[in-house]
Amino acid sequence: MKLCIFGGSFDPVHEGHVRVAAHAREYCGLDRVLFMPCSLSPLKEQAPAVTDDQRCRMIDLALRGLDWAVLDRTDLNLPPPSWSWRVAECVADRYPGAELFWLMGKDQWDSLEQWGRWEHLAGLVTFIVYHRGGEPAPREGVRAVFIEGDEPASSTRVRHDLRTGVCPVPHLNPEVESLIRREGLYGAARS
């Protein structure tokens, strides 16, 4: 089985996340993509704006009907901070014999040396690096696949649009947007 970990804050999950995962799935022949919200990244100063449960409910809605994409709470169940190598070890233990991949953006690839035990992680997974032009530099001895795309969606922009009353919000799954508005998340007016 070819299994891909797609970690992130997903704050909130948007259609761009799903499109990037689908592109990686097709390009690399992945059997399953695990959408894995992280608790608190050691490289980020700020925690997600909503609760873990709210992020998970939004991910469940965004992935509805996709048999290849699943919500995975592994990182949320581990004590913080989020260490990618621990996540990969847990997934490898749960799926013995699976070929593991790790989907990331070019910004994460560029900062990989700042990740805790990144060489150990590199021994456990093949990185799939999504980038917008200008192929990233390979690292000697690190397995990586580079896929190019031009995904315009961003969680930062989605949060801005929610706060400023844009409706509907571009690149946001309608069911996810409905949940956000019902609960008044991200400063959105309640509906």
Side-chain angles (χ1 to χ4, degrees), residues 3-173:
L3 193 61
C4 182
I5 300 165
F6 186 15
S9 57
F10 299 111
D11 191 28
V13 65
H14 53 66
E15 291 175 340
H17 291 123
V18 177
R19 287 189 292 259
V20 167
H23 186 71
R25 174 181 174 253
E26 184 177 313
Y27 191 89
C28 297
L30 304 171
D31 295 299
R32 182 166 295 149
V33 177
L34 306 177
F35 279 69
M36 193 169 300
C38 65
S39 54
L40 181 59
S41 167
L43 299 179
K44 287 193 176 182
E45 294 177 12
Q46 202 167 355
V50 298
T51 68
D52 295 343
D53 180 62
Q54 288 167 326
R55 287 187 298 146
C56 288
R57 286 189 292 135
M58 288 186 278
I59 292 168
D60 269 337
L61 289 171
L63 303 182
R64 190 173 282 170
L66 303 175
D67 61 352
W68 54 268
V70 295
L71 166 66
D72 188 301
R73 296 173 186 254
T74 297
D75 194 30
L76 297 177
N77 295 333
L78 293 169
S82 295
W83 294 109
S84 301
W85 61 269
R86 283 192 316 185
V87 168
E89 284 182 345
C90 288
V91 172
D93 287 346
R94 265 199 352 254
Y95 298 95
E99 183 180 358
L100 296 184
F101 294 80
W102 192 285
L103 178 57
M104 62 171 46
K106 183 182 179 299
D107 57 332
Q108 294 170 314
W109 175 255
D110 290 343
S111 67
L112 190 61
E113 284 81 5
Q114 297 174 33
W115 293 27
R117 298 188 65 196
W118 73 270
E119 290 114 333
H120 175 61
L121 174 64
L124 298 170
V125 302
T126 298
F127 294 104
I128 302 172
V129 183
Y130 183 87
H131 65 98
R132 293 179 174 104
E135 183 129 342
R139 288 181 169 79
E140 190 172 332
V142 177
R143 295 182 311 273
V145 176
F146 302 107
I147 57 175
E148 187 172 352
D150 189 24
E151 179 51 56
S154 84
S155 294
T156 301
R157 183 64 199 196
V158 167
R159 289 191 303 268
H160 172 270
D161 287 351
L162 287 163
R163 274 193 314 274
T164 57
V166 174
C167 187
V169 174
H171 310 293
L172 191 58
N173 175 297

